[in-house]
Structure formats: structure tokens, C-alpha cells
Amino acid sequence: MRVVDMHCDTISVLWNRREKGEKVSLQENDLHVDLKRLRESGYLLQNFALFVDRGKCVHPWEKVCQLHRLYQEELLENADWIAPVYRFADIAENEAAGKLSSLLTVEEGAVCGGEIEKLRGLYQMGVRMLTLTWNYPNELGHPNLNAKEKGNAPEEFLYQPNVTDGLTERGEEFVEEMERLGMIADVSHLSDAGFYQVYEHAKKPFVASHSNARSVCRCVRNLTDDMIRKLAERGGVMGLNYCADFLREVPRGQYNPGAVEDVVRHAKHITNIGGIQVLGLGSDFDGIDTNEGLPGVQSMERLWKALKDAGYTEKELDMIFAGNVLRVYEEVMK
């Protein structure tokens, strides 16, 4: 079993906890993700997101640079365990050297302030995937979940997609420049309108790094069946997100523990709609409350078994757990 995961927020959590004076490291910790468990659990590659909540910081660019410094420090300190990926060939080289691979991403396009030069700066820093929006409108486009509009109506917040406000003109320019650079466009969090603009403008595969199926769970962080088909048509991949509230709806106020069966249900629907080639993993570990069925990276064997019991073949499981995402990386990354 080889595992490639398109999204976790571990670096940002490490930064926050260190700011509080805690001694916590990437090598071994009590979070969802650490290097020790990644290595023990068959991981080939983990995407590490530099997540910036623009509602909690004045200068998003400065914050992403702070997170990047922490990421670099951790990779340097654990150089015997893990190595960065800048081009697709690095993955095989790292594996041959007995090391995990780390692919750097940014979650929140607002860190660039709409400046193309800052996008190029991210690329020079090693970033190879950019989530165009998080839960706020920014210079590039609009999200489906707008944190500023949440108010006292969580149901509306979760279930009303934004079908009118999409990418800005600058957002379209960013998608074009990302493709030129060899950086993957990530539409998780992006509005429905924005998704279709990326679909129209992108010439290379793009991803929804951590999104599920809206037909199974109505939350607008998930993709509609039409989006799944169009993502597959473009050769893209979507990563199963283990957030319980994106997997199954429960009555307001009721605890949602999460379960492996919920993930399997989404997987079956997605592959039925878009084909086996469209599905990957995008745990959202350390960015979500713990899913009791999949409490950390050590749980991937449990997910593999559940999907196998649901009828997936070994070849199909290899595609879901690694092969589909690696195909996209090979096509887009230079």
C-alpha cells in the first residue's frame, strides 16, 4: 500500500501551538499527522498546506512566510526522514533514498494580494498547489462557504452554494500563470461559479484536493455530480475529505463522530459518477475535528480494507490511494 494525501493543515497547527509555548514537532506528536506514523503507515507523499485564515491576520503574506520558515525548519531537522518535491521526478528519487516526500501547498489565494509576482514567489518557495480561496472572498474569487455571512444560520451557510460569484479577472490570470509555472490549481472551497470558470480556462488537470460528493452530503464544500464529471473530463482528481460534517448530515446540535462507512459511501458515489480515475485522498487532517473512524494517518489500512470489502480491486485501490494523484502531478508539475 502506497498513500498519497493531497491535504493536511499540520504545519499551521504546529505554528499555532508553538506560539503558545508548546514543544511540538513534526516527527512525533499527538496530532493527526506526524512523520513517524506516516512512515509506519505506507505513505509515499503527504501534501502539507500553509493555511492562512485571513480573518485572523492583518498581513496574509507575512503569515504565509512565517509558516514557510517553520516548514523549512522541520524538513531540515528531519532530513533523514522526509524530502521536498519540486518536480515529479523528486518523488521517485526520495522513495529510492528511503524517504517520505513532502509537497508544499498554500490554502488561501489571498496571501498573494492579487499580485502575480507573489504567486511566482510562492513557486520559488516550493509551493506546487494553491487553493484559490478559503472561506472568504479574495482578489482571485469567491468561496461557497463565506465565513463573513455565517451569522446565526448555519444550515444556510452549509447548504446554499454561490452560483453567481466566481473568479475575478485576476483569478483567471492566476490560473493561467499557475499552469505556465507548473503549479496545480485547487478548487476546494471555491464557489460553484468559480469551479466552472476554472473548468473553462484550465488547459491542464486541476484538483479539488479535499472535497466529497454533494449528492451524498449536501454541504456545499462538496462537488455536485456535474462537477465530478467535468473534473474527470479534465483529467483532474478530488480527494476524499474525512471531515464528519462533509460526509454525513446530522440534526443541528447532534454530535457527528464520523465513520469509515461514510467515507466509503462517498467513494462509491464518486467513482460511479466520474470513474475510478477521478478519486484520490485529501484527508484534511489537522484541519478538522477527529473522525472517530479515521483518527489519523495510522488509519489508512482500515480505509483500504473497508474499500476493498466494498468491492474495489487491488488495482483500483492503488489508483485511489496514490496512482490517480501521481498521474496529475506528473502531467502538471515540471
Side-chain angles (χ1 to χ4, degrees):
M1 180 178 72
R2 297 189 307 167
V3 183
V4 174
D5 182 348
M6 284 195 288
H7 188 84
C8 77
D9 290 303
T10 310
I11 297 299
S12 299
V13 176
L14 288 177
W15 192 90
N16 290 335
R17 288 179 60 168
R18 287 190 181 185
E19 282 293 288
K20 297 175 183 178
E22 298 181 40
K23 292 183 179 180
V24 59
S25 75
L26 186 59
Q27 185 175 124
E28 191 169 3
N29 58 53
D30 61 352
L31 304 177
H32 295 152
V33 176
D34 66 29
L35 299 183
K36 184 174 183 291
R37 284 174 289 151
L38 286 172
R39 189 160 67 173
E40 292 171 348
S41 303
Y43 275 71
L44 174 69
L45 184 152
Q46 176 65 58
N47 282 17
F48 286 97
L50 307 181
F51 163 60
V52 175
D53 183 344
R54 69 177 301 181
K56 296 181 179 179
C57 69
V58 178
H59 302 293
W61 180 255
E62 291 181 10
K63 180 61 179 290
V64 81
C65 289
Q66 290 173 338
L67 294 171
H68 181 252
R69 284 193 291 272
L70 173 59
Y71 172 80
Q72 287 183 304
E73 290 169 7
E74 287 292 341
L75 259 61
L76 183 61
E77 185 174 334
N78 296 288
D80 292 338
W81 293 56
I82 191 166
V85 170
Y86 302 116
R87 57 196 178 93
F88 182 75
D90 291 337
I91 300 170
E93 291 175 11
N94 294 341
E95 184 179 24
K99 296 181 182 182
L100 297 161
S101 281
S102 170
L103 192 139
L104 185 61
T105 80
V106 166
E107 184 175 30
E108 177 52 276
V111 303
C112 295
E115 299 177 33
I116 292 285
E117 283 306 314
K118 283 192 169 132
L119 175 67
R120 294 171 185 152
L122 291 180
Y123 185 84
Q124 292 301 316
M125 291 159 64
V127 176
R128 294 297 181 266
M129 182 183 294
L130 176 68
T131 311
L132 297 167
T133 66
W134 188 59
N135 291 345
Y136 303 97
N138 64 28
E139 298 84 357
L140 308 183
H142 298 260
N144 259 345
L145 296 182
N146 188 337
K148 290 184 177 180
E149 298 176 358
K150 181 177 180 181
N152 295 314
E155 288 86 358
E156 182 178 350
F157 176 73
L158 287 173
Y159 304 133
Q160 293 296 321
N162 186 343
V163 298
T164 56
D165 304 311
L167 293 180
T168 63
E169 184 176 338
R170 182 50 55 92
E172 293 175 354
E173 292 173 3
F174 261 59
V175 171
E176 293 174 5
E177 180 64 9
M178 288 168 68
E179 289 195 341
R180 188 191 71 79
L181 289 168
M183 188 185 292
I184 300 159
D186 180 8
V187 298
S188 283
H189 290 278
L190 190 61
S191 68
D192 282 21
F195 174 95
Y196 285 105
Q197 284 175 274
V198 173
Y199 169 76
E200 292 296 332
H201 283 82
K203 295 179 175 60
K204 296 180 181 179
F206 59 97
V207 304
S209 68
H210 52 303
S211 296
N212 299 322
R214 203 179 301 175
S215 288
V216 180
C217 177
R218 290 181 301 142
C219 177
V220 295
R221 273 285 285 105
N222 296 332
L223 303 187
T224 66
D225 288 357
D226 185 62
M227 290 176 181
I228 293 169
R229 292 188 189 98
K230 284 183 165 52
L231 184 66
E233 179 187 318
R234 279 287 185 272
V237 178
M238 57 192 294
L240 289 166
N241 187 319
Y242 311 151
C243 176
D245 290 334
F246 300 164
L247 292 167
R248 179 166 59 92
E249 298 172 42
V250 298
R252 184 178 181 183
Q254 180 178 318
Y255 175 59
N256 191 352
V260 179
E261 294 75 21
D262 296 334
V263 180
V264 172
R265 190 165 66 253
H266 280 267
K268 294 294 286 186
H269 182 83
I270 291 164
T271 55
N272 284 340
I273 294 297
I276 191 68
Q277 76 282 351
V278 80
L279 187 60
L281 305 180
S283 65
D284 211 357
F285 277 146
D286 292 317
I288 58 174
D289 292 335
T290 299
N291 182 317
E292 292 184 9
L294 298 169
V297 296
Q298 70 277 9
S299 309
M300 290 306 96
E301 202 167 300
R302 183 185 305 173
L303 179 58
W304 177 285
K305 184 179 184 305
L307 289 168
K308 186 174 182 180
D309 290 346
Y312 289 99
T313 66
E314 293 279 335
K315 181 179 179 181
E316 290 171 334
L317 290 169
D318 284 334
M319 293 173 71
I320 294 168
F321 276 70
N324 290 333
V325 176
L326 292 176
R327 169 181 50 79
V328 172
Y329 288 3
E330 184 175 18
E331 185 166 346
V332 178
M333 288 169 51
K334 297 181 179 179

